[in-house]
Amino acid sequence: MNITAPEQSEVETTPLGDVPSGPRYGASSGLLIKIVSLGLLNALVLAGMPRLLSKPDYPIAIAAIVALVVIDIVYLSKRFVPAKYLIPGTIFLLVFALYPVLYLVYISTTNFGTGNNLTKDQAIERIEANSVVATEDAPRYELQILAAGNDATTGELAFLLTDDAGNRFLGTADDFVELSDDQIIEDGRRETVDGFGALNLGAANDRAAEISAFVVTGPTGEIDNEGFTDAFAKVQSRVYDAATDTLFDSATDTVFTIEEGYFVDGEGTRLLPGWRANIGLDNYERLANDDQTRNVFLRVFAWTILFSLFSVLLSFGLGLGLAMVFNDERMRGRKIYRSLIIIPYAIPSFMTALVWKGMLNEQFGIVNRWFGSVFDLVPGMDASPPWLDGQWLPYGSILLVNTWLGYPYMFLVCSGALQSIPKDLTEAASVDGATGIKRFRRITFPLLLVAVAPLLVASFAFNFNNFNLIFLLTEGRPPVQGSDAGRTDILISYVYEIAFSSGGGADYGFASAVSLIIFLIVAAISTVSFRFTKSFEELR
């Protein structure tokens, strides 16, 4: 049987790279999703732009527009393929990592805090409004309260005013006019004008709150009521002069100039409120030059270092000891013991801290209730020691609780590291006559540090900012006279006291400066520590 090949013209060929004709559902649906997503993103950004510009938040508005343009160009173009994958992560990095740091740096150069949280225009408006008062020579009036349309219940309020010279005036919410005698209408024992009815004492009492808040704008300022029969004119004594950028107080004939976000007179007296202003490096200079502030910072810094260092050493030492004990294959029930050991790690740390706070309570804590008689036998020791409020005991209590919280983690890490060390090394050392202590010191411990050292550095950095434990256990107590920081405050809780709980009011600018210094300290310690841990790599 002969099989002949078909002629070349009969063979259907598809050029390489050509796609057969037909509907491309995947491509069209993907393009549609992309266009809809970009449209929603553009609508969201543009809808929020008027609000950003009205505050105004120009830097955020500019950054949002730039990011939107970049996203549109990258994703609507067939080019920039790598950028399509890099842009989302880069934008999130800038928004959630870089921007907070830059904003922290900015706030640290301002006086932002209690009394300085307004803009300059808002502060001027508030100061001028607060200066509207009645002076000794302020005009006074006899008052008759009126209601529009003779409706004593809901009619618009008005004041019929008579000055010392007998002149009559009608003051409404929108107008203030002088009246002639023929415009006055007798209403029994009261007087009124056309279109208004006079309120008797009962009707006035029914609308007392509304009358008290009602103010008429007269030729010399606001006119306020004093009871239901008298009124007086208020005068704005403080006026801002934009040409000289000063504030003049006519009541005291004083000129206030601007100094670091405040209007200040010649004697240094500040007017409140102030406004947020750039003060350069004043917050850092305060930390360096003010003796009291510097001494508080150094005391808190020293305790922070000791707290972080001893927390790591104690939790690591206890965790390593337990890991070595339960790494011995001859011990029975190791799995049960290991499960019990990690229980503190499975419970939320804030719950554990609160439980320990109750146990160490001086009056009702279980520690003093159970061991009070034992403590009484120790010379110089109270039967109910103040574990959280004494002079030195709170330090030990904090380290005890933090060791309890941290040793399970170190136990798990050390257990895994010990199991990864080749047994051949220790067996060979044992054959050579090395004792257990020497095998641990020369072989086990150096190899263990290769895996554990970076985690010890990370644990130190974590404890350096371990706000939860300090706040929940002692709240920085006991207090120190004349200091924002308590005896057990670490740097991060000290920053919290400055920013939110200081007796002198919140000081976000100074708190931001201290936060930035903490960031630099932790970064420096971590850098040095990681460089040191590289030396263990040579042991591999």
Side-chain angles (χ1 to χ4, degrees), residues 12 63 113 181 208 259 402 413 420 436 494 501 508:
E12 296 182 359
D181 292 339
E259 181 179 318
N402 208 29
V413 171
S420 67
Y494 173 47
S501 301
Y508 304 125

Side-chain angles (χ1 to χ4, degrees), residues 178-238:
E178 186 173 359
L179 302 173
S180 60
D181 292 339
D182 58 355
Q183 291 180 286
I184 302 300
I185 301 174
E186 297 293 334
D187 185 10
R189 293 179 300 169
R190 301 173 182 82
E191 295 179 338
T192 185
V193 296
D194 186 35
F196 292 87
L199 297 187
N200 57 29
L201 183 60
N205 277 325
D206 292 339
R207 304 181 65 178
E210 188 179 352
I211 292 172
S212 178
F214 184 70
V215 175
V216 171
T217 302
T220 60
E222 294 180 348
I223 300 176
D224 201 354
N225 66 303
E226 190 174 36
F228 297 147
T229 58
D230 296 291
F232 59 91
K234 294 181 178 180
V235 177
Q236 180 178 314
S237 61
R238 293 169 181 166

Side-chain angles (χ1 to χ4, degrees), residues 20-324:
S21 60
R24 294 182 296 172
Y25 298 104
S28 60
S29 60
L31 179 61
L32 179 62
I33 292 174
K34 179 172 69 173
I35 292 176
V36 171
S37 300
L38 289 176
L40 291 175
L41 179 62
N42 280 262
L44 179 64
V45 173
L46 294 178
M49 200 56 56
R51 184 175 181 84
L52 291 176
L53 296 176
S54 63
K55 282 192 174 183
D57 281 332
Y58 294 126
I60 298 179
I62 294 173
I65 290 296
V66 171
L68 184 64
V69 171
V70 170
I71 290 174
D72 287 343
I73 292 175
V74 168
Y75 285 98
L76 291 176
S77 172
K78 294 182 179 180
R79 305 171 62 186
F80 313 114
V81 175
K84 297 179 189 294
Y85 299 93
L86 295 175
I87 285 296
T90 302
I91 291 178
F92 278 106
L93 176 66
L94 294 176
V95 171
F96 295 106
L98 184 60
Y99 172 74
V101 174
L102 295 178
Y103 188 72
L104 181 71
V105 174
Y106 162 69
I107 293 297
S108 70
T109 61
T110 68
N111 62 349
F112 185 33
T114 300
N116 297 93
N117 54 358
L118 302 175
T119 65
K120 182 179 178 181
D121 292 339
Q122 290 172 334
I124 292 173
E125 182 180 350
R126 188 75 59 83
I127 291 173
E128 290 181 337
N130 291 340
S131 70
V132 178
V133 295
T135 59
E136 293 181 358
D137 55 348
R140 305 191 71 84
Y141 303 90
E142 292 182 6
L143 171 65
Q144 173 61 59
I145 302 172
L146 309 179
N150 204 17
D151 184 353
T153 305
T154 60
E156 248 183 73
L157 292 176
F159 285 170
L160 177 60
L161 303 166
T162 306
D163 63 12
D164 294 338
N167 300 314
R168 310 290 184 87
F169 304 91
L170 177 66
T172 63
D174 303 319
D175 201 3
F176 186 85
V177 295
E178 186 173 359
L179 302 173
S180 60
D181 292 339
D182 58 355
Q183 291 180 286
I184 302 300
I185 301 174
E186 297 293 334
D187 185 10
R189 293 179 300 169
R190 301 173 182 82
E191 295 179 338
T192 185
V193 296
D194 186 35
F196 292 87
L199 297 187
N200 57 29
L201 183 60
N205 277 325
D206 292 339
R207 304 181 65 178
E210 188 179 352
I211 292 172
S212 178
F214 184 70
V215 175
V216 171
T217 302
T220 60
E222 294 180 348
I223 300 176
D224 201 354
N225 66 303
E226 190 174 36
F228 297 147
T229 58
D230 296 291
F232 59 91
K234 294 181 178 180
V235 177
Q236 180 178 314
S237 61
R238 293 169 181 166
V239 179
Y240 173 69
D241 185 0
T244 59
D245 204 17
T246 58
L247 191 77
F248 179 69
D249 190 337
S250 58
T252 59
D253 198 23
T254 303
V255 177
F256 292 85
T257 57
I258 292 177
E259 181 179 318
E260 294 186 351
Y262 290 97
F263 283 110
V264 184
D265 64 10
E267 298 179 356
T269 303
R270 294 174 172 179
L271 290 181
L272 294 176
W275 61 91
R276 189 191 306 187
N278 191 291
I279 58 175
L281 300 178
D282 285 4
N283 287 320
Y284 300 95
E285 292 178 0
R286 169 185 169 188
L287 187 60
N289 299 331
D290 186 80
D291 291 339
Q292 182 178 358
T293 303
R294 183 177 64 251
N295 292 337
V296 171
F297 178 84
L298 292 177
R299 174 177 61 81
V300 175
F301 175 69
W303 161 236
T304 305
I305 293 291
L306 293 175
F307 164 71
S308 304
L309 182 62
F310 279 104
S311 293
V312 173
L313 292 178
L314 292 174
S315 59
F316 174 65
L318 181 58
L320 175 58
L322 292 173
M324 293 187 64

